[in-house]
Amino acid sequence: MARYERHIFVCTNERPAGHPRGCCKARGAEALRDALKAEVHHLGLSTIVRVNNAGCLDACESGPVVVIYPEGIWYGKATAADAAEIAEKTIMNGEVIQRLLISGEKFAPDRLQFPFLVKPSEGNT
Amino acid sequence: MARYERHIFVCTNERPAGHPRGCCKARGAEALRDALKAEVHHLGLSTIVRVNNAGCLDACESGPVVVIYPEGIWYGKATAADAAEIAEKTIMNGEVIQRLLISGEKFAPDRLQFPFLVKPSEGNT
């Protein structure tokens, strides 16, 4: 088992107000991060899943941006209201939520031939 | 092809001076991050490899901490002087540098049954 079965990076980068690219922080990234952390805790996955702050992930126009490894699943324009679904479908079961995927070929997950399930270990819930 | 063939997260978290856990920023994380970015650029990999800032990766005692996905390779106590070797061996070729691995079973890479090589695309060097 690796350190984390899934590792979720949420861009919380901040740019000055009025910057042409905007920033994930101004688009609600911190609320999304906090909601994902709460869901992971609620599901009893804290020892095998981590939600991390990240710097700019270079997909600012789709912010808030989230990337989930090891699969490399890129979600954009996610909100705190999406956190429970992300946790239950993607983090627990490796299921991709199509409506949250950032569009464009370069963002397409391509390692999903090896999905794996995350299950809380005993005593972990 | 995924957004990035390898995605490198360097913890640049900062804590107040004297904090018992210390922090990666005080241990040279920014110099390591900058050196890794420079190596990736030098190797012509900027479009397929990204070096990112990350928040606390919860391995503070081994800082500066780096995790490389999709494999989930955890390096600790790396310095800017290690950046060229990390780029040439791990980022380019998926080769693990044993002396930089954080010790402990939970940090062991376990997905290296699927290593893959990163090669600059034409016109990328």
Side-chain angles (χ1 to χ4, degrees), chain B:
Chain B
M1 173 176 144
R3 175 80 189 286
Y4 298 118
E5 293 296 314
R6 285 202 171 87
H7 201 161
I8 296 98
F9 293 90
V10 182
C11 173
T12 53
N13 191 44
E14 181 175 21
R15 290 202 179 92
H19 190 287
R21 296 194 77 186
C23 66
C24 287
K25 187 171 181 181
R27 294 187 174 113
E30 291 178 319
L32 171 61
R33 174 204 61 198
D34 291 345
L36 286 169
K37 281 181 178 277
E39 290 294 336
V40 165
H41 180 76
H42 171 70
L43 291 168
L45 299 174
S46 297
T47 60
I48 55 174
V49 170
R50 186 168 178 88
V51 178
N52 247 102
N53 288 316
C56 179
L57 294 165
D58 196 21
C60 313
E61 63 283 3
S62 299
V65 174
V66 178
V67 59
I68 299 173
Y69 281 103
E71 291 93 343
I73 298 168
W74 289 77
Y75 287 155
K77 298 182 180 173
T79 73
D82 297 310
E85 186 178 359
I86 293 171
E88 288 167 18
K89 292 185 178 171
T90 311
I91 296 174
M92 287 285 288
N93 296 314
E95 181 184 342
V96 173
I97 303 167
Q98 294 294 327
R99 71 179 161 74
L100 293 178
L101 280 180
I102 300 177
S103 60
E105 186 60 31
K106 70 178 183 179
F107 289 100
D110 69 350
R111 298 192 181 85
L112 296 179
Q113 61 270 45
F114 309 120
F116 54 96
L117 304 185
V118 169
K119 295 293 182 194
S121 55
E122 288 183 19
N124 200 23
T125 52

Side-chain angles (χ1 to χ4, degrees), chain A residues 3 7 50 56 58 69 106, chain B residues 3 7 50 56 58 69:
Chain A
R3 174 80 189 284
H7 201 161
R50 186 168 177 87
C56 180
D58 197 20
Y69 281 104
K106 71 178 180 178
Chain B
R3 175 80 189 286
H7 201 161
R50 186 168 178 88
C56 179
D58 196 21
Y69 281 103

Side-chain angles (χ1 to χ4, degrees), chain A residues 33-96:
Chain A
R33 175 204 59 200
D34 291 345
L36 286 169
K37 281 179 178 280
E39 290 294 336
V40 166
H41 180 76
H42 172 71
L43 291 168
L45 299 174
S46 297
T47 60
I48 54 174
V49 170
R50 186 168 177 87
V51 178
N52 246 103
N53 288 316
C56 180
L57 293 166
D58 197 20
C60 313
E61 62 283 4
S62 299
V65 175
V66 178
V67 60
I68 299 173
Y69 281 104
E71 292 92 343
I73 298 169
W74 288 78
Y75 287 154
K77 298 182 181 174
T79 75
D82 298 309
E85 186 178 359
I86 292 171
E88 288 167 19
K89 292 185 177 172
T90 310
I91 295 174
M92 286 285 288
N93 297 313
E95 181 184 341
V96 173

